[in-house]
Amino acid sequence: MPLTVVELNVLGGSASPAAVDEGTRDVSLVVLTELDTSTAAALDALGWDERFPHRVGRADRAAGVGRRPRRRRMSPRRLGKTLWLL
């Protein structure tokens, strides 16, 4: 199975969680930038907490401010079901 990576800027809550979910149906790894807490909660309600059980980073109330994620070693086995929050 190929590894498919998608990066999406959810614009600090301006993106539609349903559209983000629909656009990432067959994706292995998702990188979300400017993720706010309300969009994160909406995505989890759509099943993202089960689809992507491994996460690096976190949603922020002040999404889009620009902070660096901390580094974390990822085994190849876990890489395919990881949601990166930048």
Side-chain angles (χ1 to χ4, degrees):
M1 174 188 273
L3 178 68
T4 307
V5 179
V6 171
E7 186 276 331
L8 294 170
N9 184 329
V10 294
L11 305 170
S14 296
S16 163
V20 171
D21 184 55
E22 182 64 32
T24 58
R25 285 282 175 202
D26 299 320
V27 173
S28 307
L29 187 143
V30 179
V31 178
L32 296 178
T33 54
E34 295 188 25
L35 180 67
D36 66 315
T37 53
S38 63
T39 303
L43 290 171
D44 283 346
L46 292 171
W48 277 48
D49 52 344
E50 294 179 16
R51 274 181 63 200
F52 301 104
H54 308 293
R55 297 179 179 200
V56 177
R58 62 181 171 80
D60 196 329
R61 284 182 302 196
V65 172
R67 56 182 175 72
R68 292 179 168 258
R70 67 186 164 115
R71 290 184 177 209
R72 181 174 172 188
R73 284 182 89 83
M74 298 295 292
S75 70
R77 186 177 56 192
R78 288 179 55 192
L79 188 61
K81 291 290 184 180
T82 301
L83 175 63
W84 296 79
L85 309 171
L86 304 177

